[in-house]
C-alpha cells in the first residue's frame, strides 16, 4: 500500500461529491484516486480539480482497481448488497453510507459474507457516533453519571425532503439514524416498534404522512420516542434528550452563538445534514482512514447495519399494522468484540 490510503468513491451524487472534496481537502493520510457513477458527467464533475482522481462509469472499475486501497460507497441503498459483496470478495475496507441495505435479508447476506471472509471490512456511515455532543452523551450514559437511562426523546427535523420521499423512507432513510443512535447509546437491541401519524403538514406532498411519532422499545424496556418531521421548513434539527434516574442530558440543543440584534435575540439553525454534521463527517472519515489503512473499521459494523435494517423493517410494518416485534438472528461471535465508537 502507498503511504497515503488511495480511496475510490462509488457514487457521485450530492453526498458522494461532498465526500470526494472531504478526502481531497480535509482528511490526512488519504487521497481520492477514482470516482464512479453511472452518470459519467457527475463523476467527472466530482473529480474535477482533484489532482490524480479519475472518473469512471462502472463501479467495478473502482472496486477492482489495483490502485484502490479502500472504498467509500455512496450509491442508493438498493445497490449496496452487490457492491459490498464485491468489496468483501476483494478484501478491501469499505465505508458504506447508511443504510447498509434497505432490507434485513440482504443485510444478513452481507453479514454472512463478511463473517466467512473472517475480517470486519465494512463500516456503516452512521455519522452521529462521531458528533461531539452525541459522543459526550454516550460517555455520560456509559458512566451512569445520571443513573440509568429510562427514556430517550428524539426529534429529527429536515427543512424538506426530496419529492419522491415515501412513508417507508421516513423510517429507513431518516429514523434509521435514531435507531442506530439508540442502539449505540444504550448498548442494547431494539425489540419492538410502533408508529403513529400526526395530521400531515400542508408542506408535504399529498399522501406523505409527515410528521410521525415512532416509538422504539429496547430489550431492557427503555422507551425511545422519535418525532420524524421531514418538511419542517425552518431548517435541520436533530435532538436527543436522555431522561435518566437523576437528571437529563440533551445532545443537539442548538446552543450555538447567541446574538442580540435589531430588537431580537437568537441564534441560527443548520440548513441541512451536511452543514449540521460536517465536523462529525470529517471525524468519521479521519478515523475510518486510519482504521482502513490497517485493514479494519472504527465505527458502526455490518452487524449494526443489519440490526438497523431489521428494526426499520419492523418500523415500516408498524406504520400500518401497529406495534411490531423486531426479528433478529443471534449475533455471530465475530461481532462480539467492541468496536469504538
Ligand atoms: C438523509 O438521507 C440523511 O441521512 C439525513 O441525515 C437525514 O436527516 C435525512 O432525513 C435523510 O433523508
Amino acid at each position: 500500500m502507498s503511504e497515503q490510503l488511495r480511496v475510490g468513491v462509488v457514487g457521485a451524487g450530492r453526498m458522494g461529491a461532498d465526500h470526494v472534496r472531504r478526502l481531497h481537502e480535509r482528511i490526512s493520510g488519504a487521497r481520492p484516486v477514482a470516482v464512479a457513477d453511472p452518470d459519467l458527467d457527475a463523476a467527472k464533475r466530482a473529480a474535477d480539480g482533484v489532482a490524480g482522481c479519475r472518473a469512471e462509469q462502472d463501479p467495478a472499475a473502482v472496486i477492482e482497481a489495483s490502485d484502490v486501497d479502500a472504498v467509500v460507497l455512496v450509491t442508493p441503498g438498493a445497490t449496496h448488497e452487490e457492491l459490498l459483496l464485491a468489496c468483501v470478495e476483494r478484501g478491501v475496507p469499505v465505508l458504506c453510507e447508511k443504510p447498509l441495505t434497505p432490507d434485513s435479508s440482504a443485510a444478513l447476506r452481507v453479514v454472512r459474507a463478511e463473517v466467512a471472509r473472517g475480517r470486519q471490512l465494512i463500516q456503516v456511515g452512521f455519522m452521529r457516533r462521531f458528533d461531539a455532543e452525541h459522543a459526550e452523551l454516550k460517555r455520560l450514559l456509559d458512566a451512569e453519571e445520571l443513573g440509568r437511562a429510562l427514556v430517550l426523546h428524539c426529534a429529527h427535523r429536515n427543512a424538506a425532503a426530496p419529492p419522491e420521499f415515501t412513508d417507508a423512507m421516513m423510517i429507513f432513510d431518516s429514523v434509521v439514524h435514531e435507531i442506530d443512535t439508540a442502539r449505540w447509546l444504550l448498548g442494547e437491541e431494539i425489540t419492538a416498534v410502533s408508529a403513529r401519524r400526526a395530521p400531515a403538514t400542508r408542506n408535504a406532498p399529498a399522501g406523505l404522512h409527515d410528521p410521525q411519532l415512532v416509538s422504539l422499545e429496547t430489550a431492557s424496556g427503555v422507551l425511545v420516542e422519535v418525532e420524524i418531521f421531514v418538511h419542517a421548513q425552518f431548517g435541520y434539527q436533530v435532538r436527543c434528550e436522555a431522561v435518566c434516574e437523576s437528571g437529563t442530558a440533551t445532545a443537539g440543543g442548538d446552543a450555538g452563538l447567541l446574538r442580540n440584534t435589531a430588537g431580537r435575540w437568537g441564534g441560527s439553525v443548520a440548513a441541512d445534514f451536511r452543514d449540521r454534521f460536517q465536523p462529525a463527517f470529517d471525524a468519521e472519515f479521519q478515523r475510518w482512514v486510519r482504521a482502513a489503512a490497517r485493514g479494519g473499521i472504527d465505527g458502526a459494523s455490518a452487524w449494526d447495519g443489519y440490526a438497523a435494517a431489521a428494526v426499520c423493517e419492523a418500523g415500516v410494518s408498524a406504520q400500518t399494522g401497529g406495534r411490531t416485534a423486531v426479528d433478529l438472528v443471534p449475533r455471530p461471535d465475530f461481532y462480539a468484540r467492541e468496536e469504538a465508537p
Side-chain angles (χ1 to χ4, degrees):
M1 191 184 294
S2 70
E3 237 167 67
Q4 282 199 316
L5 187 79
R6 297 164 303 176
V7 181
V9 177
V10 178
R14 222 163 42 135
M15 224 36 232
D18 216 47
H19 288 334
V20 173
R21 292 285 138 196
R22 183 181 328 284
L23 286 160
H24 180 51
E25 292 165 6
R26 294 200 292 280
I27 302 301
S28 62
R31 63 191 170 90
V33 293
V35 49
D37 199 282
D39 174 356
L40 187 58
D41 288 336
K44 284 183 181 158
R45 279 194 300 277
D48 190 35
V50 182
C53 184
R54 64 178 184 279
E56 301 279 4
Q57 196 162 24
D58 181 0
V62 170
I63 295 173
E64 308 293 340
S66 58
D67 67 343
V68 168
D69 304 316
V71 169
V72 173
L73 189 54
V74 211
T75 55
T79 65
H80 286 179
E81 178 182 6
E82 189 189 336
L83 300 171
L84 286 168
L85 293 176
C87 291
V88 170
E89 168 88 27
R90 209 200 125 197
V92 70
V94 51
L95 176 56
C96 171
E97 271 300 349
K98 44 69 42 178
L100 179 69
T101 62
D103 64 301
S104 68
S105 36
L108 193 53
R109 287 193 289 274
V110 170
V111 161
R112 289 191 169 137
E114 188 180 63
V115 172
R117 190 76 170 67
R119 210 167 89 212
Q120 290 197 46
L121 292 165
I122 300 171
Q123 176 167 332
V124 184
F126 285 124
M127 78 297 196
R128 290 190 193 170
R129 295 185 180 211
F130 299 86
D131 173 60
E133 286 180 47
H134 282 80
E136 177 60 10
L137 183 57
K138 163 87 174 146
R139 195 202 52 74
L140 179 142
L141 294 179
D142 281 351
E144 294 201 0
E145 276 178 25
L146 304 177
R148 273 185 316 137
L150 309 171
V151 170
L152 301 182
H153 293 289
C154 306
H156 182 166
R157 301 176 183 134
N158 294 180
E164 68 276 10
F165 224 69
T166 60
D167 279 358
M169 287 172 82
M170 289 176 70
I171 305 285
F172 68 71
D173 205 55
S174 302
V175 180
V176 68
H177 283 292
E178 277 71 25
I179 290 170
D180 181 66
T181 302
R183 293 182 62 254
W184 170 66
L185 284 177
L186 301 168
E188 56 178 334
E189 295 298 353
I190 294 162
T191 51
V193 189
S194 314
R196 284 175 299 153
R197 299 163 171 173
T201 171
R202 282 169 295 192
N203 298 311
L208 189 72
H209 296 94
D210 185 26
Q212 297 186 28
L213 289 184
V214 178
S215 310
L216 314 173
E217 299 165 40
T218 72
S220 76
V222 177
L223 299 180
V224 181
E225 294 291 333
V226 184
E227 173 210 310
I228 180 66
F229 189 12
V230 299
H231 291 88
Q233 307 289 292
F234 67 88
Y236 186 76
Q237 206 168 48
V238 163
R239 196 172 283 170
C240 174
E241 180 189 34
V243 179
C244 306
E245 289 167 304
S246 58
T248 72
T250 305
D254 294 327
L257 192 68
L258 179 65
R259 295 176 216 221
N260 299 291
T261 182
R264 305 178 73 87
W265 66 270
S268 54
V269 180
D272 68 15
F273 48 92
R274 287 172 304 169
D275 180 16
R276 161 69 175 85
F277 284 113
Q278 187 197 302
F281 279 121
D282 288 353
E284 174 186 46
F285 268 65
Q286 191 59 73
R287 287 179 56 175
W288 172 71
V289 160
R290 285 196 202 109
R294 297 189 305 269
I297 70 166
D298 184 4
S301 67
W303 172 260
D304 294 315
Y306 158 72
V311 179
C312 285
E313 232 162 58
V316 173
S317 306
Q319 284 179 318
T320 48
R323 181 180 179 278
T324 307
V326 176
D327 188 16
L328 271 191
V329 300
R331 184 172 69 174
D333 289 344
F334 181 73
Y335 293 104
R337 59 181 179 265
E338 266 293 303
E339 291 291 337

